[in-house]
Each structure stands twice: as structure tokens, then as C-alpha cells.
Amino acid sequence: MKIHEDSVSLNSYEEMAEYYFSYVDRKPFNAYYERPATLSLLPEVAGKRVLDAGCAAGWYTQWLLEKGAEVTAVDFSAGMIEMTRKRVGERAEIIRADLNEPLDFMANESYDIVLSSLALHYLKDWTLVMSEFHRILAEGGRLIFSVHHPFMDFTLFQRDNYFLTELLDDEWETQNGKVKVQFYRRPLSQILSAVLEAGFLIEKVLEPMPTEEFKSAQPDAYRRLTHKPQFLFLRARKP
């Protein structure tokens, strides 16, 4: 597999693969904030061909399979690919691939849904990936994704110029200590423009509230999320 020169955080995710597999199912920001919002945007998936783009440890791959979808899962991390395979076995097609590169092993109009959960902010330029998502989706196909909210990245990391696309450094706590993670922030206009310019029609933009389960698990973070968004969610359709 070719790794693009702008790919970031590959080593971080290799290091965190086991952690993700062990903890991501019940981490409040994933289980009680990101997932309910993403799932609310999904159409009926039974019998549909779905690409899980940036599958990480395979939670969505497993959920989609259980709902009757035919699933292809891709991730740039060999460790995450291993964790997804550990979770679902041979029930899905699992491929190591970098979303910064062309998905030339996928045929035109070969999917009904592309789902990408908290993956696209690791890509500096969205032109290629949106073009490829549009190419592989059938007419009427849906793209559903979640990313860091531009307001959150701009304010939390105290940046000077909202309108830049820039690389940020963060540290995440894991059971083995802190892991450095990098990702790109960009203004809302660039997020929306990349989707529209690829030929999609935007159907819904979501800035959700955390669930009551989140409130029980992390009350302080719950209050923050009800005032300042953490993630941004979008559903688009190929006309």
C-alpha cells in the first residue's frame, strides 16, 4: 500500500490499535455522542453495499454487517485492519488503503453508501477523496461523515487565523500513556465546498447534543458539549 506524503498519525494509530479495540465501544465521546448522530443520518442499510472509509477498529463495520449490509472496510493502519478483522472475521472485505490516494481498486458506482467516521480530518486535501467517493457511489448513493468541528479546533487550539487549513498536534490518553496525534483543521467553507464541488448535494448538516448516557458518564464534558460543539456531521447525496 502506498502512503501519501501528507498522511499523518499513521504511527499513532498503529500504537493505539489494541487500545481502540478494547475501549472504543464504550468511550463516551464515541458511544454517546458521535455514534448516535452518525447513525441518525444513515438510510436503511439492509442489502446495501457500504464502504466504511477509515474503519479504525471496526465498530461500524460490525454494526453494518449486523444490519444486513454488504461491507467493505478500509483503513491506512495495518493495526486497525487487524483489529477490524479480529472483530468481524471474513464477513466483510477488509482492505488496507490510504484515503489520500485513489481508490482505483474500486469500480465506478459500486457502492450505495459511503460512511466515514472521524477520519477525514487526517487528510490535508479533500479534493481527491470526495471525487473518489462520488465516483464509486451509485446514482442516489449517500455519503455520511463526521469530522472535528471547525469551531472546536479553532478555539480549543487557540489558532490565530480561522481561514487557514493547518496541521495541529494533540495528545491522547491511553492505557499505555499519552500518544501524540496530528490532524488538519479547516474552515467550514472548505468542508462544505469540497463536498459540493465533487458533485454532491448536501442533505443535512448536524451539530448534535450529547445523549443522557454521556451526561451520566462525563457530566462536565456534557455541559461543555451543550454549549460548544466537538464534531460536525454531514449527509450528502449523489444526484
Side-chain angles (χ1 to χ4, degrees):
M1 183 199 75
K2 181 180 179 182
I3 296 293
H4 193 274
E5 61 182 5
D6 287 327
S7 291
V8 298
S9 291
L10 174 58
N11 292 337
S12 304
Y13 276 98
E14 299 288 28
E15 185 176 350
M16 292 191 293
E18 291 279 357
Y19 166 75
Y20 255 66
F21 183 81
S22 300
Y23 292 101
V24 76
D25 288 14
R26 58 185 186 274
K27 284 182 64 179
F29 275 89
N30 297 92
Y32 306 136
Y33 182 55
E34 195 278 335
R35 283 186 210 130
T38 295
L39 295 177
S40 76
L41 295 177
L42 280 170
E44 175 62 50
V45 301
K48 299 293 179 64
R49 303 161 297 173
V50 184
L51 172 63
D52 186 359
C55 62
W59 189 93
Y60 279 104
T61 298
Q62 182 180 39
W63 185 91
L64 290 162
L65 289 167
E66 290 174 350
K67 298 299 181 181
E70 177 185 335
V71 185
T72 301
V74 302
D75 202 279
F76 73 161
S77 162
M80 291 298 190
I81 290 294
E82 181 183 348
M83 293 303 104
T84 299
R85 189 166 285 117
K86 182 177 179 180
R87 188 188 287 268
V88 304
E90 301 301 318
R91 292 183 292 152
E93 184 178 14
I94 304 170
I95 303 168
R96 189 180 180 203
D98 187 344
L99 294 175
N100 283 292
E101 295 290 334
L103 302 173
D104 48 16
F105 52 91
M106 297 180 179
N108 293 350
E109 301 188 355
S110 54
Y111 292 92
D112 304 299
I113 299 168
V114 172
L115 167 63
S116 185
S117 167
L118 299 178
L120 294 175
H121 43 260
Y122 297 104
L123 279 61
K124 183 177 182 180
D125 187 348
W126 285 16
T127 305
L128 175 63
V129 71
M130 287 299 162
S131 175
E132 285 292 86
F133 286 167
H134 190 274
R135 177 183 66 81
I136 66 175
L137 277 169
E139 290 184 5
R142 293 320 208 289
L143 167 64
I144 293 97
F145 67 82
S146 61
V147 291
H148 288 182
H149 197 290
F151 174 88
M152 184 273 290
D153 281 344
F154 178 67
T155 56
L156 186 63
F157 291 88
Q158 300 180 328
R159 309 311 297 171
D160 294 325
N161 187 345
Y162 169 79
F163 295 102
L164 294 180
T165 295
E166 56 187 342
L167 188 64
L168 301 181
D169 295 333
D170 200 3
E171 283 189 334
W172 294 358
E173 290 284 356
T174 75
Q175 84 278 22
N176 296 320
K178 292 183 179 180
V179 176
K180 180 182 176 181
V181 180
Q182 293 183 303
F183 47 83
Y184 291 95
R185 61 157 294 272
R186 72 202 75 225
L188 178 63
S189 58
Q190 287 196 18
I191 293 172
L192 301 181
S193 294
V195 177
L196 294 169
E197 289 170 6
F200 287 103
L201 299 176
I202 294 175
E203 292 186 326
K204 192 166 186 178
V205 176
L206 191 60
E207 297 172 308
M209 292 292 103
T211 63
E212 287 300 309
E213 291 91 344
F214 191 104
K215 185 177 183 180
S216 298
Q218 294 192 10
D220 290 342
Y222 176 88
R223 185 186 184 283
R224 175 168 60 82
L225 290 177
T226 59
H227 291 73
K228 298 178 180 180
Q230 182 95 359
F231 302 144
L232 179 72
F233 301 77
L234 188 146
R235 183 178 70 213
R237 176 172 56 87
K238 179 178 178 177

